Amino acid sequence: MKRILFGLIILVTLSPAAFYFYNFNTGLSKNNSDWGSFGSYIGGTVGVLLSSLSFCVLAFTLYATVKYNNANRKIAISTFKNEKKSLNLQIKHQRNEFNLQLVKAYTESLSNLFHKKKYYRYSHDGIQKEEIKKDEFLDEILTEFIRIGKINPKSDFPSIATCALNSFRIRYDDECVILSSIEEILINEKDSEMKRHLNTIFTSGVNTEDVFWLRMFLFDCSKGYKEKIFAHKLFNATNRILDALPEHHKKRSEPE
C-alpha cells in the first residue's frame, strides 16, 4: 500500500512537468517571467492533483477506519454476548447448586425433627396417657383417620385427616417453618427438570407420611395453604393413606 501511494505521488508530481517540457522544450530559460509561468503551471496542476489525491487518501483512510471500527464493534458485541451467556449459565449453575444444598439441609433438618419428635396417646376425654413410638403413631392415626372417614363419609379428604390429627393433640411448629422454606424453593423454581430433582431430594429424604400429616396440620391452621399446595401440585399423600378410604380414591390429585 505504501509503495502504491509513493508511486502515485511521484507520478502526479512528475507528469505535469514532463508534459510542460514536452510542449515547451526551449531549454532552461534565464527569464524570471518564464520561471514564474512554470511555477504557476506546476502549482495549478500538481497542487490540484495532490489535493485530489490527498482527499482520496483521506476518504479511503476514513472508510478503512469505519470498517475497522465496525468489525471491532461486532467482535466486542459478540464477545459481550458470549460473556453474558457464560455469566448467566454460571449464575444459574450456582443458584441451582445453592438450592440443591439448601433443600438437602432443610430436608435433613426436617427428618431429624420427625425422628426426635415425641408422640402421645390420649384418652377420649383428652388426658395424656403414654408416649408412643412414631411407627405406632402413624398406624394409630391412620386407624383414627379410617374411623372418622366412615362416620363422616361426606366430609372432604383434608377435613377427615385434620380431625384425626387433632385427636392426638400434636403440633408441628418448627417443622412448619422448614417445610414452608422447602416449598417456597420448589414453587419459585422455574426449571421443571430442576424442580423435579429438588422434589425428589425432598421426598426421598423424609418419610412421606410424616410430611402428609404435617401438611394436614398446616391445612387446619394456615389460611390459604390448601390452595397453595394444590395450585403448585405439592400435595403428596401415600397410597396407604389414599387407599384407607376407597370413596376418596377419585380425590388423589386434588381433594375437595
Side-chain angles (χ1 to χ4, degrees), residues 114 172 175-176 179 210-218:
F114 283 139
Y172 292 104
E175 292 87 346
C176 287
L179 179 64
D210 285 331
V211 176
F212 170 78
W213 295 113
L214 171 57
R215 281 179 168 147
M216 292 304 99
F217 178 80
L218 281 168

Side-chain angles (χ1 to χ4, degrees), residues 21-34:
F21 285 112
Y22 176 79
N23 287 280
F24 308 103
N25 188 11
T26 57
L28 293 177
S29 175
K30 295 182 179 181
N31 191 337
N32 288 337
S33 62
D34 292 337

Side-chain angles (χ1 to χ4, degrees), residues 20-241:
Y20 182 88
F21 285 112
Y22 176 79
N23 287 280
F24 308 103
N25 188 11
T26 57
L28 293 177
S29 175
K30 295 182 179 181
N31 191 337
N32 288 337
S33 62
D34 292 337
W35 285 104
S37 298
F38 177 74
S40 299
Y41 168 78
I42 292 298
T45 54
V46 176
V48 172
L49 291 174
L50 286 177
S51 296
S52 300
L53 182 61
S54 298
F55 176 79
C56 293
V57 171
L58 180 63
F60 177 78
T61 303
L62 182 61
Y63 169 78
T65 301
V66 170
K67 186 176 180 180
Y68 176 78
N69 289 340
N70 286 338
N72 283 344
R73 177 171 162 273
K74 289 181 180 179
I75 293 173
I77 291 174
S78 177
T79 302
F80 173 75
K81 288 181 177 179
N82 290 335
E83 289 178 352
K84 182 180 179 181
K85 184 178 180 180
S86 177
L87 181 61
N88 287 337
L89 288 174
Q90 289 179 18
I91 292 173
K92 182 179 179 181
H93 175 74
Q94 290 175 356
R95 181 179 62 82
N96 288 344
E97 187 62 29
F98 177 76
N99 283 341
L100 282 172
Q101 297 304 322
L102 200 57
V103 169
K104 286 180 181 178
Y106 280 145
T107 301
E108 185 177 350
S109 297
L110 186 59
S111 180
N112 289 336
L113 285 174
F114 283 139
H115 180 71
K116 296 177 181 178
K117 196 166 193 65
K118 295 184 181 299
Y119 302 91
Y120 298 94
R121 185 182 292 116
Y122 288 84
S123 61
H124 291 293
D125 54 3
I127 299 175
Q128 181 178 314
K129 295 172 60 177
E130 59 182 329
E131 183 178 347
I132 57 177
K133 294 180 179 180
K134 187 179 78 169
D135 290 341
E136 291 180 275
F137 162 75
L138 293 176
D139 290 337
E140 290 190 18
I141 196 173
L142 182 61
T143 301
E144 183 68 7
F145 174 72
I146 296 172
R147 185 185 72 79
I148 296 173
K150 289 180 178 178
I151 296 173
N152 305 289
K154 293 184 179 180
S155 297
D156 60 36
F157 195 86
S159 296
I160 298 172
T162 53
C163 286
L165 188 63
N166 289 336
S167 66
F168 284 83
R169 300 177 181 272
I170 193 168
R171 293 192 60 83
Y172 292 104
D173 297 325
D174 294 335
E175 292 87 346
C176 287
V177 175
I178 296 177
L179 179 64
S180 296
S181 299
I182 294 173
E183 289 177 344
E184 197 65 25
I185 294 173
L186 292 174
I187 290 171
N188 292 328
E189 179 56 56
K190 304 301 181 184
D191 189 319
S192 58
E193 184 177 350
M194 186 62 185
K195 180 179 286 189
R196 285 195 298 270
H197 188 35
L198 293 172
N199 193 53
T200 299
I201 292 174
F202 170 56
T203 55
S204 63
V206 290
N207 186 305
T208 309
E209 285 195 24
D210 285 331
V211 176
F212 170 78
W213 295 113
L214 171 57
R215 281 179 168 147
M216 292 304 99
F217 178 80
L218 281 168
F219 260 91
D220 190 43
C221 66
S222 178
K223 185 178 180 180
Y225 183 75
K226 176 180 179 179
E227 291 76 13
K228 170 187 171 182
I229 70 167
F230 286 143
H232 298 284
K233 300 180 180 179
L234 298 176
F235 184 80
N236 187 23
T238 64
N239 289 337
R240 188 169 89 120
I241 294 172

